[in-house]
Amino acid sequence: MQLNALSTPDVLASELRKMINSGRLRDGERLVERDLASYFSVSRIPMREAIRQLERDGLVEIFRNRGAVVRTLSVEDLDEIYSLRALLEGEAVFQSAKMVNSDTLARAELTHTLLARTTEFEMQGALNREFHDLIYSGCKNQRLLKLINDTRNQIERYEYLQRKLLSETPVFQDDHAGILTACMERDAEKARAEVIRHILSAGEILKTFISRHVEGPGEVSLTPYQPG
């Protein structure tokens, strides 16, 4: 795979993150620096930094004798992450509800409608993220929004798997409707309560899904990211 001359560790980290989130690089899979550098046609130095970025993001673990592997999150990890998400996203919508403008709420309503009509899981994921981004957009605390994005990134690969299971069900539409109504009514307390309930409910569904469907870490073939 060729990257342009302006490629940086940030670009490589972004590409690796996509491969992890899509399942091309699976839980427990070794990230062989030499092979990945060859695949992306870059030297090992920026690839090493890209892998360390993913370690800082919580997506990769680096072991002395084994090297870098895609981190496997336990049900306990997911419980911690979703509890944190509920706190962060509840606060974001609380700050946003009275400040978000009517045009943005209209866009959120349209996104909600489109989400109800699609059964394609990749589009569902994009619309779901857009919906949440829109209703949090009135929050001006950029550090809070960055923390929300960081915690999302840690579990996006599992949500990708979950969307396959839920691709034909409107399971979260009622939750979104309640959040949207609260924001339109400028009821910040209700919006926070609705978001917290929604996030925790999503976490419970995902933890059940992961405990049944995701295998533990192990040696996995490198073929998922080989060209061809």
Side-chain angles (χ1 to χ4, degrees), residues 115-116 118-119 124 162-173:
L115 183 54
T118 183
T119 58
Q124 281 187 325
Q162 184 195 33
R163 287 197 298 272
K164 292 184 178 182
L165 181 67
L166 301 177
S167 62
E168 297 183 358
T169 65
V171 65
F172 295 136
Q173 283 301 97

Side-chain angles (χ1 to χ4, degrees), residues 4-228:
N4 63 46
L6 298 177
S7 293
T8 65
D10 289 340
V11 175
L12 292 167
S14 177
E15 290 298 316
L16 291 175
R17 186 177 293 109
K18 290 176 185 177
M19 294 168 77
I20 292 170
N21 290 338
S22 69
R24 291 180 64 195
L25 289 169
R26 298 185 293 273
D27 282 15
E29 185 157 357
R30 293 181 62 230
L31 302 182
V32 182
E33 187 181 291
R34 178 189 63 253
D35 293 348
L36 285 167
S38 175
Y39 175 61
F40 285 103
S41 299
V42 297
S43 73
R44 294 176 67 172
I45 293 174
M47 181 56 65
R48 184 176 303 127
E49 176 55 30
I51 291 171
R52 292 202 175 276
Q53 284 190 33
L54 297 185
E55 180 191 29
R56 292 192 290 271
D57 290 345
L59 294 178
V60 165
E61 292 182 285
I62 299 177
F63 299 96
R64 181 183 299 274
N65 297 321
R66 194 178 177 206
V69 300
V70 178
R71 184 181 178 193
T72 300
L73 296 179
S74 67
V75 171
E76 290 75 19
D77 289 326
L78 294 173
D79 189 54
E80 290 181 3
I81 291 169
Y82 271 89
S83 295
L84 180 58
R85 283 190 64 185
L87 290 172
L88 296 173
E89 297 186 41
E91 179 61 23
V93 78
F94 179 81
Q95 294 186 25
S96 177
K98 293 184 179 180
M99 302 297 295
V100 63
N101 64 54
S102 297
D103 288 344
T104 299
L105 288 176
R107 288 172 57 199
E109 186 173 26
L110 174 59
T111 301
H112 174 64
T113 300
L114 294 173
L115 183 54
R117 294 175 179 173
T118 183
T119 58
E120 203 281 310
F121 64 86
E122 289 187 353
M123 181 59 69
Q124 281 187 325
L127 290 170
N128 181 67
R129 182 174 281 247
E130 182 179 358
F131 176 83
H132 282 272
D133 287 344
L134 287 168
I135 63 170
Y136 303 155
S137 64
C139 173
K140 303 307 178 185
N141 187 330
Q142 295 303 310
R143 288 181 174 84
L144 175 57
L145 295 177
K146 183 179 185 302
L147 284 171
I148 289 171
N149 188 63
D150 290 345
T151 54
R152 280 179 181 171
N153 285 339
Q154 290 183 44
I155 46 80
E156 187 174 352
R157 65 190 185 273
Y158 297 124
E159 291 189 327
Y160 180 91
L161 293 173
Q162 184 195 33
R163 287 197 298 272
K164 292 184 178 182
L165 181 67
L166 301 177
S167 62
E168 297 183 358
T169 65
V171 65
F172 295 136
Q173 283 301 97
D174 288 345
D175 288 359
H176 284 181
I179 295 166
L180 186 58
T181 297
C183 290
M184 288 180 167
E185 293 173 351
R186 308 296 179 178
D187 188 336
E189 288 286 1
K190 183 179 178 182
R192 173 156 58 189
E194 292 285 349
V195 164
I196 289 174
R197 183 173 63 83
H198 171 59
I199 296 296
L200 293 178
S201 175
E204 288 301 319
I205 293 172
L206 185 56
K207 285 186 291 181
T208 299
F209 179 80
I210 293 304
S211 66
R212 293 176 179 174
H213 293 273
V214 175
E215 298 176 354
E219 294 293 328
V220 185
S221 168
L222 298 181
T223 54
Y225 63 75
Q226 295 295 335

